Amino acid sequence: MIRLFFIVPYPELEEKVRRVLSLHPEKDNLDAVVSSMTVEDIPDVPVGDYDAVIARGYTAQKTLSGYQQIPTIQLSISGYDLVRAVSECCETFHPKKIAVCGFGQQMYEARTIFRFFHVDGEIYDTIHHEDLPKTVERAMAAGCDALVGGYSANIQARRAGLPSVVIRTGEDTILQAVNEAIRTVQQIRRERVISQMYKTIIYSSKDGLLYVDRDGIILVRNRVVRRMNGDISLMNHPLKQVLPYLYPLFSSVMAGGKEETGRILTIPGTKTTVSASCTPVIANRELSGAVINLSDITQIQELEGQIRRKLNERGLKAKYTFQDIIHGSSIMEKTIQTARRYAASDSNVIIVGETGTGKELFAQSIHNASRRKNGPFVAINCAALPENLLDSELFGYVEGAFTGTSRGGKMGLFEQAHGGTLFLDEIGEISPAIQSKLLRALQEHQVRRIGDNKVIDVDVRILSATNRSISHLADQGLFRRDLVYRLDVLRLFIPPLRDREDDVELLFDYLLKVHCQESGVPIPLLSPDARSLLHSYPFQGNIRELKNIVERACVLCDGGCITGRDLQNALYPRDLEPEEVSRPSSPLPAASEPERLLQALESCGGNRTKAARLLGMDRSTLWRKLQKYHLS
């Protein structure tokens, strides 16, 4: 609904206005108050009561000056209105000279009309209605014997005894004024919506925002930027004076006309560090100013921390600590002490040991004893995935990088481990291509997702593990020497179970207790002859093999005790192969890795299981190596 306040100088005009409004196409959307009054009687109009005021002549002039917050539409005097008034004056009073009194810009056709009616005339341009008495006196002194003008001018003429005619407004002029009022109100409302939208955007922003004009004066600022700078007054102040640390950025943008982003600045007198961006504003093909955006890096770090904590909730968390390592041997105690010292450092660690010695247990314990313990712990077995999948897992990818990508892309493990630890198990199995990308990530502390054109900064500590010497692999040309130097900063050797004195009994009892509790069965005793067998067994698979033997012995024992025979059957189950290889020590002569693989297969008659045992590796590892060297 559009609310109009229509001020008319005489009752006849009021009737015309009401008639025009009643016939207007937008009448159902108009709420108009029509009031007949002179300029002296105009009341105070509350700003919120009306959307626009429509008035004529001196009344419109007073309304414009008095109600500046309400748009005023002026009822203009048309040429037809003036012709009609001059014609009436000539017919009624037969004057020799007519005075036309009104605003000059509305009377520019009067002289032409005088010539048309063959009458002399004078135009009196009176700006203020208070000057009308003097204007009438001047007209009479100049020989004017009649007057044509507005309602107020006619009142003064009658008081002076001068014949006069009122210039009456026609319905076409009224209709034009109403239409203009509707357009004006609609435009103002649209502008208010846009203004409120921008105001809401500015004040709801979590970043600090400033608009500075070409002269360096701050014209817009939100509360955030004011709080950042100590609640000082900013509006209509020179940027150089109130925020001098931002002036070089502003000057650079105004000089070059190009956006600048990512300036890291510290607000003077505070510990707040912000990322500042400045964008030029082009209006009418001219550089009118610039918008400065200030992002509090502290808030960004907090948001990043929230994301990392959510990743931890997904399971990217280390479960074990050094207290979880079951041991009693001095060699294991020394190993743990060394690992604790490594945990206090932030250098990369490579954990070396045979299969099944608990390398990941130590990796998790180091993480939980380090300053990164509240960050994520992300682990991956590098030998479990082919090269292309390992690449995408480590570094992530963007949507559309290759067929089958997830919508929105995928965050790589390096990104997920930001602020924490990335554990790379079986690091010796990665391909040369992955080695190159890994080396760059470690050198630059940056990663690039597959298919992306930008890099992402990461803060990650690398713990790696291997059951092979990557230094020896480097000697054979199978591992990058420069990557060795990046990974092998601190080296932790995990002793095999056979070298851990009496730890085998401690671990057997512990694993037996855990297995029985999980299975809901009573814990059997271990006979003395069974215990002696534990000390004589080589445990090629170390603790992983011991866990299997415990489960096997529990199933084989009959009653509440595991006898020597039960454990013998658990340690040496019957196999299809009559030959047994008791130790993984290889009698093969020194050679390159491909030659050693072929020699092992040849000495074992092509039997891959035996060859794997002879080489001291899993059958699956042997298969991967044969594939790697195209020997299968």
Side-chain angles (χ1 to χ4, degrees):
M1 187 66 69
I2 296 176
R3 300 162 300 171
L4 301 177
F5 185 38
F6 222 122
I7 303 175
V8 296
Y10 52 90
E12 179 188 346
L13 184 56
E14 180 179 348
E15 293 176 4
K16 288 184 180 180
V17 169
R18 294 188 185 281
R19 185 162 56 251
V20 170
L21 291 173
S22 67
L23 298 175
H24 198 279
E26 296 287 334
K27 62 181 179 181
D28 294 335
N29 194 36
L30 296 176
D31 181 13
V33 172
V34 184
S35 181
S36 177
M37 63 184 71
T38 61
V39 65
E40 294 85 357
D41 301 326
I42 297 176
D44 292 332
V45 180
V47 173
D49 287 359
Y50 301 101
D51 296 309
V53 175
I54 301 176
R56 196 184 87 149
Y58 296 111
T59 303
Q61 180 196 43
K62 184 175 181 179
T63 305
L64 282 168
S65 61
Y67 306 144
Q68 295 181 1
Q69 293 178 297
I70 306 175
T72 298
I73 310 302
Q74 193 165 3
L75 272 172
S76 301
I77 296 174
S78 68
Y80 177 71
D81 295 336
L82 189 55
V83 167
R84 187 168 48 200
V86 172
S87 175
E88 181 182 349
C89 183
C90 292
E91 291 179 3
T92 305
F93 302 113
H94 306 289
K96 295 179 180 179
K97 188 175 183 180
I98 299 176
V100 176
C101 187
F103 297 112
Q105 64 268 27
Q106 295 185 349
M107 304 295 179
Y108 63 91
E109 293 179 333
R111 298 193 186 282
T112 302
I113 295 171
F114 291 155
R115 289 195 297 271
F116 179 78
F117 285 99
H118 306 288
V119 65
D120 191 12
E122 190 72 33
I123 299 173
Y124 293 90
D125 185 10
T126 305
I127 303 301
H128 303 291
H129 77 281
E130 293 88 351
D131 298 331
L132 285 175
K134 294 182 178 180
T135 300
V136 172
E137 290 178 4
R138 286 168 50 210
M140 294 176 68
C144 294
D145 53 354
L147 181 143
V148 172
Y151 194 74
S152 296
N154 272 260
I155 292 175
Q156 294 300 327
R158 287 197 297 271
R159 288 175 181 173
L162 181 66
S164 62
V165 173
V166 175
I167 302 175
R168 289 177 172 79
T169 301
E171 292 186 2
D172 54 340
T173 303
I174 297 171
L175 177 60
Q176 181 180 356
V178 171
N179 290 338
E180 184 179 349
I182 292 173
R183 286 193 300 270
T184 301
V185 171
Q186 289 175 340
Q187 181 63 28
I188 290 173
R189 288 179 175 179
R190 282 193 294 268
E191 290 175 356
R192 283 175 181 169
V193 170
I194 294 172
S195 174
Q196 191 61 37
M197 177 185 69
Y198 283 115
K199 185 177 180 180
T200 302
I201 291 172
I202 291 170
Y203 282 95
S204 64
S205 173
K206 304 301 180 185
D207 293 340
L209 293 175
L210 291 167
Y211 171 70
V212 186
D213 69 8
R214 70 173 71 185
D215 298 321
I217 305 300
I218 299 172
L219 298 184
V220 177
R221 63 100 182 99
N222 65 359
R223 299 182 184 91
V224 178
V225 76
R226 181 170 178 174
R227 285 197 300 267
M228 283 180 175
N229 292 275
D231 285 325
I232 60 175
S233 179
L234 299 175
M235 286 292 290
N236 300 315
H237 285 75
L239 179 70
K240 189 175 184 179
Q241 175 183 326
V242 293
L243 302 176
Y245 71 98
L246 292 176
Y247 191 75
L249 174 62
F250 170 76
S251 298
S252 175
V253 170
M254 294 300 290
K258 293 183 179 179
E259 179 183 22
E260 292 193 21
T261 62
R263 288 269 192 104
I264 305 301
L265 305 171
T266 299
I267 298 178
T270 72
K271 295 182 179 180
T272 303
T273 303
V274 295
S275 174
S277 301
C278 188
T279 304
V281 176
I282 309 296
N284 301 319
R285 300 183 181 180
E286 293 183 357
L287 186 58
S288 63
V291 172
I292 300 176
N293 181 294
L294 302 180
S295 299
D296 190 338
I297 292 180
T298 305
Q299 293 182 355
I300 296 174
Q301 291 172 337
E302 290 176 357
L303 179 61
E304 184 180 37
Q306 293 175 9
I307 296 172
R308 303 302 172 187
R309 285 193 291 273
K310 288 182 179 180
L311 290 175
N312 286 345
E313 293 170 2
R314 297 179 188 175
L316 302 181
K317 192 173 182 179
K319 298 184 294 182
Y320 301 109
T321 66
F322 288 119
Q323 285 73 29
D324 296 315
I325 300 176
I326 307 299
H327 72 286
S329 60
S330 60
I331 188 173
M332 208 54 189
E333 181 61 30
K334 291 179 181 178
T335 304
I336 292 173
Q337 289 176 4
T338 301
R340 287 184 184 277
R341 288 195 294 270
Y342 288 176
S345 169
D346 206 35
S347 300
N348 294 336
V349 180
I350 187 165
I351 304 172
V352 180
E354 295 179 5
T355 298
T357 52
K359 295 186 287 295
E360 183 167 352
L361 178 62
F362 269 88
Q364 293 193 25
S365 300
I366 291 173
H367 170 79
N368 279 330
S370 72
R371 69 173 183 83
R372 295 173 177 267
K373 62 184 178 181
N374 295 323
F377 177 84
V378 182
I380 185 172
N381 189 321
C382 298
L385 298 173
E387 178 182 321
N388 57 338
L389 288 182
L390 181 61
D391 190 3
S392 63
E393 283 295 314
L394 285 175
F395 304 105
Y397 56 81
V398 295
E399 183 177 348
F402 49 84
T403 304
T405 56
S406 300
R407 186 173 183 180
K410 180 181 179 181
M411 180 186 293
L413 297 184
F414 265 94
E415 293 179 65
Q416 293 183 36
H418 179 75
T421 303
L422 178 60
F423 176 54
L424 303 175
D425 198 6
E426 296 196 53
I427 189 67
E429 304 299 324
I430 62 175
S431 68
I434 300 297
Q435 290 178 32
S436 298
K437 295 190 69 172
L438 181 58
L439 175 64
R440 182 167 184 81
L442 297 181
Q443 287 176 335
E444 305 297 333
H445 302 288
Q446 294 177 329
V447 294
R448 188 195 303 272
R449 293 187 184 184
I450 298 174
D452 205 352
N453 58 0
K454 64 179 181 296
V455 295
I456 301 168
D457 292 330
V458 290
D459 173 24
V460 176
R461 185 188 191 185
I462 300 296
L463 302 182
S464 54
T466 180
N467 57 8
R468 306 167 62 195
S469 170
I470 59 173
S471 294
H472 293 166
L473 292 176
D475 292 338
Q476 299 169 21
L478 302 175
F479 206 89
R480 292 183 64 117
R481 179 67 65 182
D482 44 5
L483 181 56
V484 172
Y485 297 143
R486 289 286 179 180
L487 297 173
D488 194 4
V489 180
L490 301 175
R491 185 185 301 179
L492 182 68
F493 178 78
I494 310 299
L497 185 57
R498 59 184 174 273
D499 294 341
R500 291 173 54 178
E501 304 167 7
D502 294 331
D503 281 358
V504 64
E505 287 191 39
L506 285 176
L507 289 165
F508 189 95
D509 292 340
Y510 172 76
L511 294 172
L512 181 63
K513 179 182 178 181
V514 171
H515 174 73
C516 292
Q517 288 176 345
E518 291 176 350
S519 303
V521 298
I523 302 173
L525 299 174
L526 188 64
S527 66
D529 57 337
R531 289 188 180 275
S532 64
L533 283 173
L534 286 176
H535 292 282
S536 62
Y537 188 76
F539 289 105
Q540 310 301 331
N542 293 289
I543 300 171
R544 187 176 295 128
E545 183 182 10
L546 178 60
K547 184 175 184 296
N548 293 340
I549 291 170
V550 167
E551 295 183 16
R552 196 180 300 143
C554 283
V555 173
L556 294 175
C557 77
D558 185 11
C561 180
I562 298 175
T563 66
R565 180 177 293 276
D566 294 333
L567 191 57
Q568 178 77 18
N569 292 332
L571 292 171
Y572 304 103
R574 295 185 62 182
D575 202 341
L576 292 175
E577 304 168 28
E579 299 86 4
E580 293 187 8
V581 180
S582 60
R583 294 290 298 267
S585 56
S586 174
L588 299 175
S592 66
E593 188 173 58
E595 291 173 344
R596 292 181 69 247
L597 296 177
L598 291 175
Q599 289 172 4
L601 285 170
E602 184 177 356
S603 64
C604 295
N607 189 305
R608 293 187 178 182
T609 302
K610 292 181 181 179
R613 289 179 181 173
L614 184 62
L615 292 165
M617 63 179 67
D618 294 334
R619 191 175 187 276
S620 59
T621 302
L622 174 61
W623 180 85
R624 283 196 300 272
K625 292 181 179 297
L626 293 174
Q627 295 290 322
K628 178 179 179 180
Y629 298 113
H630 306 289
L631 300 176
S632 58

